[in-house]
Amino acid sequence: MRKKRLLSFLLLAGLIIFSGFYYMNHREEFHLLSSFSAPAISILVLLEILMILCLGLQMKILTNHYNLGLSFMQCFGLARMTSLANLMFGFAAGASVKAVYLKRFHDLKYGSFIAATGIASIIKLMIGGLSATALLLTLEEPASFLLFIAAAISASTLVFFGLAHKIPQRFFSFWNMIGDLVKEWRLIRHDRTMILQLVLLSIILFVIYSLEIYFAFGAFGIDASFSVSGVITAFDNLAGAVKLIPGNVGIKEAIFGMISVTYGIGINQGVHAAVLHRVIRAVVSLLVGSGFAYKLVSTARKQTPVGQIDNITTRIAG
């Protein structure tokens, strides 16, 4: 964990220095976009609400696999508490919240659910990679480096789902995280109903996220195609899965800016869209999610013997 935090700090410092030099040398490209489209922002907010409802549904699908009997509202509250933990603590705080809660109140092993969440993330990356590859090919001049990365993501995720369970577990002993994912995939792959549900939900989430980005550009009157928005979605999801920096601070803006420049939209416009999307996501998550998260925590506290609450909190924060 210390190495990862050091790497995150160095990467963030590098991004700040690079951004500073880039701004000094291209300051004429940057100016404040002060005009907003209220209808576009309203649609963006509604899409974000729909997004967090879908994330609650994803939690419900995963917990159903383990026959935990959680209601949708419990799953939604747990998903919102996860997002709040990621906002406050960064790194893997969200995954820890889910794992600790489910272990304490439903006796589900930490590793099992974290690995299952990882499988859902790999499915999301697969859908993103395949979609980005298809969308890039529809553009008049697909950027070769973006196409290569998208195709590589698609191929690697397909190889994982097609071959990982056939490889003996001892070959993954060098990397515990991959080993845990493969071990859980051997069990989960037999639940074809859940896999199909996760694939369909990942497609829906990809479309919603792409529309969010499309309207984030539209809020400033910027004409960005849905194809470009979809490509940004795929690479933003990839950066989110890696989690090198809490909240993808700087990385999200760099992805928006880089792809925007590639397709003639402009780095300034891309950064504005990224910041607006970040702000809307944070505000909606706090306003809509905090009440459900508080209710879930309050219920958990009532069920927790005195003296164990601080221990659980320490595990989550650590």
Side-chain angles (χ1 to χ4, degrees):
M1 180 61 72
R2 289 182 179 178
K3 290 182 179 179
K4 185 172 182 180
R5 289 183 177 178
L6 177 60
L7 177 61
S8 298
F9 174 78
L10 293 175
L11 183 57
L12 180 58
L15 280 171
I16 292 173
I17 294 171
F18 174 79
S19 299
F21 276 110
Y22 188 93
Y23 176 78
M24 293 300 295
N25 293 317
H26 301 84
R27 65 179 67 185
E28 68 281 356
E29 298 178 19
F30 292 88
H31 56 279
L32 181 63
L33 301 179
S34 56
S35 60
F36 295 93
S37 169
I41 292 179
S42 299
I43 294 173
L44 181 55
V45 171
L46 292 175
L47 286 169
E48 184 59 29
I49 293 174
L50 182 59
M51 170 74 79
I52 63 177
L53 288 172
C54 287
L55 292 175
L57 179 58
Q58 177 178 281
M59 186 71 65
K60 176 66 174 171
I61 292 171
L62 290 172
T63 56
N64 282 350
H65 171 74
Y66 298 100
N67 298 315
L68 299 182
L70 273 67
S71 68
F72 174 77
M73 295 309 295
Q74 286 177 301
C75 292
F76 181 75
L78 188 55
R80 291 302 85 218
M81 192 162 68
T82 298
S83 296
L84 291 175
N86 285 332
L87 282 174
M88 292 185 293
F89 301 110
F91 300 102
S96 298
V97 166
K98 289 182 288 190
V100 170
Y101 177 87
L102 292 172
K103 170 61 179 177
R104 174 63 186 85
F105 298 105
H106 300 279
D107 198 29
L108 180 65
K109 293 181 180 178
Y110 298 116
S112 293
F113 194 78
I114 289 177
T117 304
I119 297 297
S121 296
I122 295 174
I123 291 175
K124 187 183 297 183
L125 288 177
M126 178 186 70
I127 297 301
L130 292 171
S131 300
T133 301
L135 291 172
L136 283 165
L137 291 174
T138 65
L139 296 171
E140 293 183 2
E141 296 181 5
S144 57
F145 70 99
L146 293 177
L147 187 58
F148 173 79
I149 296 173
I153 294 170
S154 304
S156 59
T157 52
L158 288 171
V159 167
F160 175 86
F161 289 126
L163 298 177
H165 61 280
K166 298 179 180 179
I167 302 174
Q169 190 69 27
R170 66 178 182 274
F171 287 99
F172 300 103
S173 59
F174 68 96
W175 195 348
N176 291 335
M177 184 183 72
I178 298 297
D180 290 342
L181 285 172
V182 173
K183 184 178 179 180
E184 198 66 23
W185 172 240
R186 287 194 173 95
L187 302 174
I188 287 179
R189 70 187 186 88
H190 297 292
D191 190 347
R192 296 187 179 182
T193 298
M194 186 193 73
I195 298 301
L196 178 60
Q197 289 173 340
L198 288 176
V199 169
L200 292 175
L201 186 60
S202 294
I203 294 172
I204 293 171
L205 286 169
F206 182 85
V207 172
I208 293 173
Y209 200 170
S210 299
L211 287 171
E212 285 185 5
I213 294 174
Y214 176 82
F215 283 103
F217 280 107
F220 296 105
I222 302 167
D223 184 20
S225 69
F226 181 80
S227 294
V228 172
S229 300
V231 172
I232 293 175
T233 295
F235 283 88
D236 195 29
N237 281 336
L238 174 61
V242 176
K243 293 184 176 67
L244 285 177
I245 294 179
N248 278 343
V249 176
I251 294 181
K252 181 186 188 76
E253 289 73 14
I255 290 172
F256 272 66
M258 178 189 70
I259 297 178
S260 296
V261 167
T262 302
Y263 289 101
I265 298 171
I267 187 171
N268 185 49
Q269 289 79 355
V271 171
H272 273 74
V275 172
L276 176 62
H277 186 262
R278 182 187 293 280
V279 170
I280 293 294
R281 171 156 290 187
V283 171
V284 171
S285 183
L286 288 171
L287 293 180
V288 178
S290 56
F292 289 94
Y294 175 78
K295 183 177 179 180
L296 188 68
V297 172
S298 298
T299 302
R301 282 179 175 270
K302 291 178 182 178
Q303 299 175 9
T304 305
V306 177
Q308 290 189 15
I309 294 176
D310 291 337
N311 185 38
I312 292 173
T313 304
T314 300
R315 287 186 182 181
I316 292 173

